[in-house]
């Protein structure tokens, strides 16, 4: 988001602090909490409002694993890294569960289902389960459809859960101890003479020792370093009116993750996906729904949930995700500005990896812990992305 000369009121208000986070989604807010908890004075700058971006536009599903079924993650990354990615998501789930209980926000832990649409995907699920079992990952496989809705096979991951992502983010912001400035897009970042960094935003100018960009898909709009590294990808979703009958209690993920759905406590069905049928159109920052994707979602809904036929769709929305080139989050510091860190590129799995990634970044900033395979410098390695 750009800021005109006329809109810039940041010079009239200056905040001096130790650490500044750009982006008030769940990743930025948790990083702010961690830094504040270590005695740092923290300010969070947000272009719109808390959870305005992907953090408030997802399905609220806290799932273990990466964007790939597990055996495909092993093939893409190698067994050791695939397992470490799994462990990161497991740590993330533990963090979200603990925070939900501490903050008093909803946490539904009934498990998740990976569901196969057809026999081909069912065989992939079986291969994924075999690889998971070999690595000691808790899961159950069945060719029977536990939902009774015509799926060809399923993997149950019993510990997964769901949250109300906006209530979670708002509570995290309120209890982080950080100063949160909303409606204040950042339009300039520059190092200061003698050390530190200055961030100019619409409402305030922040001068601090260090900063972190937790802007995910919007990172390329903030700094050219991210061009080509983080691809903005739109996802769409819908939500029905309450159906008055309980049909599901688990978080569901099918068609290799291209469709995902859950039933909310008030009996609404929330369904997202279908973007893979319109890949080129679903790239970019435009916040709108399209008839083609929404019609596809509705066809999926009535096929697998005939109880929803004729139900009113009360909400339709889109959200912009930041995809990295290899599907792994990018964490590091800006070239030429080592005091400006970042954690971006969550590839549609911000609720699966984001908080644990923020924890890794905080440990790196505070105590010099290695970022390991999360380090964005992996893209410059001779072997390629990893």
């Amino acid at each position: 988001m750009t800021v005109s000369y006329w809109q810039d009121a940041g010079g009239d208000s200056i905040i001096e602090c130790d650490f500044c986070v750009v982006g008030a989604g769940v990743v930025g807010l948790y990083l702010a909490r961690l830094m504040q908890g270590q005695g740092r004075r923290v300010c969070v700058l947000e272009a719109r409002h808390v959870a305005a971006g992907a953090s408030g536009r997802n399905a609220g599903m806290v799932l273990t694993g990466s964007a790939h079924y597990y055996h495909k993650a092993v093939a893409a990354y190698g067994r050791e890294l695939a397992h470490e990615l799994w462990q990161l998501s497991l740590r993330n789930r533990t963090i979200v569960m603990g925070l939900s209980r501490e903050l008093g926000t909803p946490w539904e832990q009934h498990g998740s289902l990976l569901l196969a649409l057809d026999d081909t995907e069912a065989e992939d699920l079986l291969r994924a389960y075999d690889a998971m079992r070999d690595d000691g990952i808790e899961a159950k496989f069945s060719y029977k459809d536990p939902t009774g809705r015509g799926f060809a096979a399923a993997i149950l991951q019993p510990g997964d859960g769901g949250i109300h992502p906006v209530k979670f983010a708002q509570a995290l912001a309120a209890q982080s101890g950080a100063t949160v400035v909303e409606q204040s897009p950042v339009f300039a970042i520059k190092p200061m003479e003698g050390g530190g960094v200055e961030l100019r935003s619409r409402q305030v100018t922040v001068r601090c020792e260090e900063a972190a960009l937790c802007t995910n898909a919007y990172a390329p709009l903030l700094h050219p370093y991210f061009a080509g590294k983080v691809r903005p990808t739109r996802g769409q979703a819908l939500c029905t009116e309450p159906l008055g009958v309980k049909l599901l209690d688990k978080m569901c993920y099918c068609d290799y993750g291209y469709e995902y759905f859950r039933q909310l406590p008030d009996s609404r069905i929330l369904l997202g996906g279908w973007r893979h049928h319109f890949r080129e159109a679903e790239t970019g920052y435009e916040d709108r729904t399209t008839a083609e994707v929404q019609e596809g979602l509705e066809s999926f809904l009535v096929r697998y949930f005939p109880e929803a036929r004729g139900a009113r769709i009360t909400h339709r929305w889109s959200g912009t995700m930041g995809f990295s080139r290899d599907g792994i989050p990018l964490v590091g510091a800006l070239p030429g500005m080592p005091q400006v860190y970042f954690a971006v590129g969550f590839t549609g799995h911000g609720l699966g990896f984001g908080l644990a990634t923020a924890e890794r970044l905080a440990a790196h900033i505070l105590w010099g812990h290695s970022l390991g395979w999360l380090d964005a410098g992996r893209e410059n390695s001779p072997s390629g992305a990893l």
Side-chain angles (χ1 to χ4, degrees):
M1 185 181 297
T2 60
V3 175
S4 77
Y5 169 81
W6 313 107
Q7 295 167 328
D8 176 15
D12 299 330
S13 179
I14 297 175
I15 294 178
E16 294 187 352
C17 62
D18 300 316
F19 195 81
C20 181
V21 175
V22 181
V26 294
V27 176
L29 291 169
Y30 188 54
L31 179 61
R33 172 190 167 106
L34 293 171
M35 299 302 289
Q36 186 81 19
Q38 292 297 316
R40 304 292 180 95
R41 295 171 301 150
V42 180
C43 177
V44 179
L45 296 175
E46 166 56 43
R48 291 172 289 176
H49 54 82
V50 169
S55 288
R57 296 167 181 267
N58 57 68
M61 293 160 54
V62 184
L63 309 180
T64 42
S66 69
H68 302 290
Y69 285 166
Y70 192 72
H71 69 298
K72 294 194 173 184
V74 170
Y77 306 130
R79 183 167 295 277
E80 181 179 356
L81 179 51
H83 192 253
E84 288 184 11
L85 272 167
W86 187 276
Q87 292 298 317
L88 184 73
S89 70
L90 192 61
R91 171 60 185 162
N92 185 85
R93 190 180 74 192
T94 299
I95 295 170
V96 175
M97 178 176 65
L99 281 173
S100 297
R101 290 172 175 170
E102 176 188 335
L103 300 171
T105 57
W107 169 251
E108 301 175 56
Q109 192 173 24
H110 303 298
S112 70
L113 291 170
L114 308 183
L115 297 166
L117 289 187
D118 54 30
D119 290 342
T120 299
E121 189 174 8
E123 294 308 306
D124 267 332
L125 278 187
L126 179 58
R127 284 189 282 270
Y129 170 72
D130 287 340
M132 294 164 76
R133 184 181 56 189
D134 289 345
D135 280 356
I137 295 170
E138 183 183 13
K140 296 179 181 179
F141 174 84
S142 176
Y143 277 118
K144 294 182 179 179
D145 175 11
T147 71
R149 299 191 168 271
F151 295 103
I155 289 177
L156 168 64
Q157 299 179 164
D160 289 349
I163 64 173
H164 186 305
V166 173
K167 289 184 179 179
F168 180 84
Q170 289 171 338
L172 193 56
Q175 297 191 30
S176 68
T179 299
V180 180
V181 183
E182 298 178 298
Q183 303 299 330
S184 199
V186 172
F187 60 87
I189 305 171
K190 66 177 183 179
M192 296 189 299
E193 291 185 13
V197 61
E198 180 180 274
L199 299 97
R200 293 289 303 275
S201 75
R202 188 177 70 83
Q203 294 197 55
V204 297
T205 293
V206 176
R207 293 172 182 164
C208 55
E209 294 178 4
E210 296 171 308
L213 310 180
C214 298
T215 48
N216 203 25
Y218 298 92
L221 301 181
L222 196 56
H223 196 279
Y225 169 78
F226 300 105
K229 294 180 174 66
V230 178
R231 177 168 54 90
T233 301
R234 183 171 59 195
Q236 297 187 41
L238 58 77
C239 192
T240 71
E241 65 182 338
L243 301 182
V245 59
K246 188 65 174 177
L247 304 174
L248 288 172
D249 65 353
K250 293 177 174 55
M251 310 294 121
C252 297
Y253 188 80
C254 71
D255 193 12
Y256 299 93
Y258 285 115
E259 279 77 52
Y260 44 91
F261 51 92
R262 62 185 288 196
Q263 189 167 28
L264 302 180
D266 66 356
S267 77
R268 299 171 188 267
I269 296 288
L270 189 160
L271 167 66
W274 213 257
R275 64 176 176 80
H276 59 306
H277 296 289
F278 304 94
R279 291 180 188 274
E280 291 187 11
E282 295 302 293
T283 298
Y285 295 102
E286 189 177 12
D287 178 15
R288 70 181 183 95
T289 60
T290 62
E292 296 82 2
V293 170
Q294 291 291 314
E295 287 169 3
L297 289 173
E298 287 193 54
S299 70
F300 183 97
L301 176 68
V302 298
R303 175 180 177 184
Y304 291 101
F305 295 94
E307 299 91 339
R309 187 179 299 276
R312 185 168 57 93
I313 305 300
T314 61
H315 296 77
R316 302 180 191 271
W317 70 92
S318 70
T320 304
M321 304 170 283
F323 277 45
S324 69
R325 288 189 284 210
D326 60 9
I328 297 175
L330 297 169
V331 186
L334 289 179
M337 279 194 284
Q339 70 274 57
V340 179
Y341 300 90
F342 58 83
V344 298
F346 290 95
T347 314
H349 285 256
L351 282 186
F353 290 124
L355 281 78
T357 300
E359 186 177 66
R360 295 276 186 94
L361 177 56
H364 175 70
I365 296 168
L366 291 164
W367 303 298
H369 290 189
S370 172
L371 293 172
W373 45 268
L374 286 169
D375 195 326
R378 69 181 183 268
E379 293 205 330
N380 301 321
S381 67
S383 59
L386 296 175

